Amino acid sequence: MNNNAGPAGTPLLHVDRVTVRFGGLVAVSELDLDVPEGSIVSLIGPNGAGKTTAFNCVSGIYAPSSGSVRFRGKRLERSFTPGTILRALAVGLLTGLLFAAAAVDVDRLWMAVVKRGMITGEPFTMSGAMERLRGYFRSELAIDQMAGKWRVVSADGSDVLAIKRDLGEARLVRDALQAKVTARRTGPGTVPDATDLNQREAAAAPLVALPVVKEEVLDRLAAGKSRIRWRGWLGLIAGLLLGSAGTLAVWQRGRRSPHVVARAGISRTFQNIRLFSSMSALENVLVGLDRTIPGGVFSMLLRTPANRRAEAEARQKAIAALDFVGLSGDANRIAGQLPYGDQRRLEIARALATGAKLILLDEPAAGMNPNEAADLAGLVERIRDRGVTVLLIEHHMNVVMRISDRIAVLDHGTKIAEGTPAEVRRDEKVIEAYLGGEG
Amino acid sequence: MSTNRASRTSVPPDPSTGPWAFLAQRWELATLAVLAIAPLVIPALGGALGGQVTNLFIYCILALALNVMVGYTGLVHLGIASFFGIGAYVLAILTVPMYPFQIGFLAAAVIAVLVTAGTGLALGAPTLRLRGDYLAIVTLGFGEVVKVTLRNLEQITGGMKGLNPVPPPGAGVTVAGIDLGKEFAIDPRWFYYLALLSLAGVVLAMRRLENSRLGRALVAVREDELAAQAMGISATKVKLAAFAMSSAVAGLAGCLYAASLSTTADPNAYDFNRSIMVLCAVILGGLGSIPGTLLGVAILVGFDTVLAPWADSWIQQMNVNPKGLSYLSFSGWRLAIFGVALVLVMRYRPEGLIPSRRLASELRDGGAGS
């Protein structure tokens, strides 16, 4: 019965020279392991041999320090797609806008764009708002109102240059002063601005007395334009870089997350049972089925017929899975209250429900008596007969020898033997590892 | 409305529709019916009491929002009030006459809810990898940041003055000769019904969430994040969903709050105290339990905003305390009673007053095992 594995070619799981180090401690060293499709492969060895570490490595909980794990010839990690970059850029843009908003003082921007539009009494229009927005970034002088009087103010409202009773007068003053500021901004030698300035001043002079504005205030106003733009761009770019780089870094670190591995088709149970202990047995299996249930949040909230059907189908499937492991009578019992052996079987049902092609069982028969262990061995064989490949860690030698197609033996993190049960049983090194060498 | 999925096939009865659950659901419907009829029978609800009970409903919505995070997903959230505040302020910005937008209540509420959900996502995305206490500290910090930001963005939020007047829902809308805006402004029962309706909607949504794929995933992540991931569940996405839903519902509560007060009040209304008050209500009532959460709010907030003022005015009427001594007024003892009650409940009923089926079994199981 040995090696009744699936088709030749790439094995389902290919572990290639995997080493896992925790600081200076080597838990698994240069492990090679092939699991052919449709087989039962066991990993055995004394306690602390690194079996569970190897499992954690395959299921994506640890990343190998070196070497690679391939499933159906592919590395199990999220692939780098254009979507990844787009998402990173989107997050970056959002961060950038946030930074820019802080840098240009969003509070004053709001005042300039929204509130000033309301003050003059004209109806609020989008084009007017855009005009004021541009004005804010160009640091153009603006008009606002306080206590019934019109004021000519700097774009951010921090400098008040003139106060007038009449809106028309205020406008004239604003234009004249703006021309002055613009002239200063473009430099003293520029002729067109100078004439423009003179003309405007001449036009305004008979109507209103231009206020005297200090030189340093004019300088500040002239410099304001470049300053606020510069701050805005700096914030935007800094945020964009920081946000995108951060998103990419996080993406990189989450690349080999266990759920990616699980979705690729590897599922597992845990040595120390990790059920969702306050949920019912049925719900546990339904969590395993999660990926196979269609429908999003809105169909759930509206409880559409499609959603009801999907839930009902999932429930049927979950019942079938419980039936398969022999727990059909316990569907509504709380998982944490099931007997120990049943909890192990429930964990297997949950893992199978994910639709995995490879299932990793970490000591499924631990703590069972010989009868229960024999039942379990039967269950593992039935799993294999369903077309699910099994990789097993087990200490019950009866179980291992009876059902395994191949056995790999680990000791102190290194593989010391591999072969059929009969071969492994005879291996000198294996006997030595289990019984202890001489001297 | 009922989710009566009778067992048509060989499937054993779904625990969520078993006889007990059905009773629980009818209990909810009965409560709803009583609350719906109450204003027609009790004239006091047309007065100040109506406003207080409306406030209670809004708190219930806020507590249910927090329950998604703390109860279902097991993420300790100490800044729920900030989302409440963001909802209130966005609604206010979109409706107050001071700003040019002045859109209708419904549209503004939808936008406010979307904005709070987005803010929740923005807070959640970078912080989800934090566990337990660390996330609690981040949310606590976020709450303070929001409060201070609301205070300091004076041009936008009106600083300590807040934004007002927020027009009542339906301002300018006339249905069958009734000016809704006016009605809302005059009769508190309109708000009572609006809040009750929203609360019923949120409860229904929560019920559906509990028995759905996403609801199970939330609980799975709470129970054992690694095992959930090994089942192909993206813990990050599930937690983000929890963040978004919780923030959105809290934002809805904020909208109702601002509209019912017709002001956002000052930013201190959205501080840590409110977050903790709501958290206490959820824990007192029973984490992850809808009726528990509602009861917790009814007891804690009801005590604070309905009973305490009433007891105070009664003491004054009886002329027991003519000198205004603080130890003779009920308010003076309010926090002490509050604290003692919480201690007692946590000592004798750690799973809460009406525990969720799931959590109760866990705690009792743990107690029996140790």
Side-chain angles (χ1 to χ4, degrees):
Chain A
M1 88 170 221
N2 49 6
N3 254 344
N4 54 354
T10 53
L12 188 65
L13 180 76
H14 178 65
V15 178
D16 185 25
R17 294 164 65 81
V18 161
T19 302
V20 183
R21 275 185 223 100
F22 298 112
L25 190 83
V26 181
V28 173
S29 160
E30 307 263 312
L31 175 68
D32 286 310
L33 185 70
D34 280 352
V35 180
E37 192 154 5
S39 61
I40 298 176
V41 175
S42 292
L43 212 51
I44 64 170
N47 283 328
K51 306 181 298 280
T52 298
T53 306
F55 258 38
N56 286 343
C57 209
V58 171
S59 57
I61 295 171
Y62 303 147
S65 311
S66 67
S68 70
V69 178
R70 283 168 191 278
F71 183 65
R72 293 177 158 158
K74 276 189 288 192
R75 275 167 179 267
L76 292 177
E77 36 183 45
R78 236 176 283 180
S79 48
F80 189 78
T81 59
T84 316
I85 299 176
L86 280 181
R87 217 169 26 242
L89 283 179
V91 173
L93 195 65
L94 209 67
T95 323
L97 286 175
L98 207 65
F99 276 34
V104 302
D105 196 338
V106 66
D107 204 30
R108 287 180 165 165
L109 179 71
W110 178 273
M111 180 200 61
V113 175
V114 179
K115 278 191 163 174
R116 264 186 210 144
M118 297 298 286
I119 285 170
T120 49
E122 298 156 29
F124 186 86
T125 57
M126 207 58 207
S127 60
M130 287 310 289
E131 188 56 44
R132 285 191 294 279
L133 185 70
R134 270 196 294 273
Y136 182 80
F137 281 103
R138 289 189 194 134
S139 287
E140 283 171 2
L141 298 181
I143 294 174
D144 77 7
Q145 195 187 30
M146 183 173 268
K149 287 184 182 168
W150 300 98
R151 309 188 306 172
V152 177
V153 294
S154 62
D156 60 5
S158 58
D159 284 303
V160 180
L161 303 174
I163 300 175
K164 297 280 164 193
R165 283 185 186 283
D166 180 59
L167 179 58
E169 276 184 31
R171 284 202 172 123
L172 282 171
V173 171
R174 191 207 82 98
D175 288 350
L177 287 177
Q178 181 61 50
K180 232 178 194 174
V181 171
T182 314
R184 189 165 292 249
R185 195 176 281 163
T186 43
T190 45
V191 184
D193 277 325
T195 25
D196 185 43
L197 170 65
N198 289 336
Q199 278 169 0
R200 283 190 184 225
E201 219 166 331
L207 296 167
V208 286
L210 275 187
V212 182
V213 180
K214 282 185 192 161
E215 288 293 310
E216 67 249 37
V217 174
L218 282 178
D219 281 339
R220 191 166 63 217
L221 291 172
K225 178 178 176 180
S226 59
R227 205 173 57 217
I228 201 147
R229 282 205 172 165
W230 186 78
R231 284 206 316 234
W233 281 114
L234 189 74
L236 187 66
I237 291 169
L240 188 69
L241 290 178
L242 204 68
S244 315
T247 311
L248 284 177
V250 168
W251 177 86
Q252 171 68 27
R253 287 188 64 178
R255 235 183 142 174
R256 259 186 66 82
S257 145
H259 82 267
V260 179
V261 175
R263 287 180 188 189
I266 300 180
S267 187
R268 67 168 296 172
T269 65
F270 296 88
Q271 185 177 357
N272 47 341
I273 302 172
R274 301 186 80 143
L275 286 169
F276 309 120
S277 51
S278 72
M279 296 169 103
S280 73
L282 189 74
E283 283 175 319
N284 266 278
V285 181
L286 282 171
V287 172
L289 282 164
D290 187 82
R291 291 287 299 157
T292 66
I293 307 175
V297 175
F298 290 100
S299 68
M300 174 268 283
L301 286 180
L302 299 174
R303 192 147 276 186
T304 56
N307 177 261
R308 284 163 189 254
R309 213 175 316 123
E311 279 285 322
E313 270 170 33
R315 210 161 273 276
Q316 296 279 12
K317 276 192 218 165
I319 295 288
L322 285 175
D323 213 18
F324 180 76
V325 298
L327 289 175
S328 48
D330 300 314
N332 289 336
R333 287 184 64 186
I334 298 296
Q337 293 168 353
L338 289 172
Y340 186 73
D342 288 353
Q343 291 197 12
R344 289 231 173 260
R345 289 209 297 249
L346 178 56
E347 227 192 353
I348 295 175
R350 186 181 70 175
L352 280 176
T354 61
K357 287 290 154 213
L358 172 67
I359 181 166
L360 313 180
L361 303 179
D362 199 343
E363 300 199 17
M368 289 186 175
N369 65 35
N371 271 340
E372 289 171 326
D375 280 352
L376 187 99
L379 176 63
V380 174
E381 280 180 324
R382 282 191 289 131
I383 292 171
R384 191 256 324 270
D385 295 342
R386 279 171 62 147
V388 178
T389 309
V390 180
L391 180 59
L392 184 74
I393 293 178
E394 192 44 77
H395 285 296
H396 278 251
M397 280 309 137
N398 298 341
V399 174
V400 172
M401 292 300 165
R402 196 184 112 199
I403 62 175
S404 305
D405 297 313
R406 288 187 78 74
I407 297 176
V409 189
L410 285 187
D411 189 26
H412 293 105
T414 359
K415 188 170 77 175
I416 55 171
E418 188 180 351
T420 62
E423 286 164 5
V424 166
R425 207 193 297 256
R426 283 192 302 270
D427 196 292
E428 291 287 328
K429 279 195 203 148
V430 176
I431 295 166
E432 189 180 318
Y434 268 87
L435 300 178
E438 285 170 34
Chain B
M1 175 159 168
S2 106
T3 57
N4 190 5
R5 269 176 289 143
S7 42
R8 282 157 296 193
T9 52
S10 61
V11 182
D14 171 1
S16 62
T17 56
W20 283 106
F22 194 71
L23 196 73
Q25 215 158 35
R26 263 204 290 203
W27 176 83
E28 269 166 30
L29 283 176
T31 313
L32 179 64
V34 167
L35 289 174
I37 297 168
L40 306 176
V41 185
I42 307 169
L45 283 172
L49 185 66
Q52 286 167 344
V53 177
T54 305
N55 194 36
L56 209 61
F57 291 157
I58 294 172
Y59 260 109
C60 282
I61 296 176
L62 186 59
L64 286 173
L66 185 63
N67 189 37
V68 174
M69 287 282 288
V70 185
Y72 299 150
T73 325
L75 302 170
V76 182
H77 191 333
L78 297 179
I80 194 71
S82 58
F83 293 100
F84 188 61
I86 292 170
Y89 270 93
V90 172
L91 179 93
I93 286 172
L94 291 174
T95 55
V96 286
M98 189 177 163
Y99 292 137
F101 315 107
Q102 296 174 24
I103 60 178
F105 174 80
L106 216 57
V110 169
I111 295 176
V113 165
L114 289 178
V115 169
T116 39
T119 315
L121 284 179
L123 170 67
T127 55
L128 284 178
R129 285 148 193 92
L130 301 174
R131 281 166 204 248
D133 312 346
Y134 302 100
L135 185 71
I137 289 169
V138 167
T139 52
L140 171 67
F142 181 78
E144 289 302 298
V145 166
V146 167
K147 190 185 83 183
V148 174
T149 306
L150 287 176
R151 198 161 61 201
N152 287 351
L153 290 181
E154 269 181 60
Q155 297 295 342
I156 305 179
T157 64
M160 291 305 284
K161 294 194 298 290
L163 286 173
N164 55 65
V166 178
V173 180
T174 312
V175 179
I178 303 171
D179 183 350
L180 283 180
K182 216 180 216 170
E183 291 294 330
F184 264 105
I186 293 169
D187 193 343
R189 278 179 290 191
W190 281 85
F191 255 115
Y192 177 94
Y193 280 116
L194 179 68
L196 183 62
L197 197 69
S198 311
L199 177 59
V202 170
V203 168
L204 181 67
M206 293 297 161
R207 269 251 168 275
R208 291 186 167 176
L209 173 67
E210 271 186 353
N211 297 313
S212 73
R213 176 187 164 197
L214 180 59
R216 287 190 297 265
L218 293 177
V219 177
V221 167
R222 177 189 79 202
E223 293 279 298
D224 191 328
E225 188 171 334
L226 187 65
Q229 283 191 309
M231 295 301 114
I233 288 172
S234 165
T236 325
K237 274 196 187 153
V238 164
K239 287 190 199 168
L240 273 182
F243 251 106
M245 280 187 297
S246 165
S247 316
V249 176
L252 173 70
C255 289
L256 291 171
Y257 181 74
S260 71
L261 289 185
S262 83
T263 170
T264 57
D266 73 292
N268 288 332
Y270 311 101
D271 67 353
F272 184 61
N273 279 340
R274 185 176 295 254
S275 298
I276 280 296
M277 182 79 158
V278 176
L279 185 64
C280 284
V282 173
I283 294 173
L284 176 78
L287 281 168
S289 150
I290 297 172
T293 301
L294 298 182
L295 183 68
V297 173
I299 291 175
L300 279 196
V301 182
F303 169 76
D304 209 33
T305 64
V306 182
L307 191 67
W310 177 82
D312 267 339
S313 70
W314 184 77
I315 287 174
Q316 206 151 31
Q317 270 175 16
M318 293 290 113
N319 214 6
V320 181
N321 183 20
K323 285 183 192 159
L325 298 167
S326 64
Y327 60 84
L328 279 180
S329 77
F330 189 76
S331 307
W333 293 95
R334 189 174 59 95
L335 289 176
I337 295 171
F338 201 83
V340 169
L342 275 184
V343 168
L344 289 179
V345 169
M346 286 302 109
R347 167 63 186 82
Y348 292 105
R349 213 172 156 80
E351 71 268 35
L353 296 175
I354 309 180
S356 79
R357 176 176 54 85
R358 286 165 179 156
L359 212 66
S361 71
E362 189 169 295
L363 280 172
R364 291 207 199 104
D365 213 28
S370 61

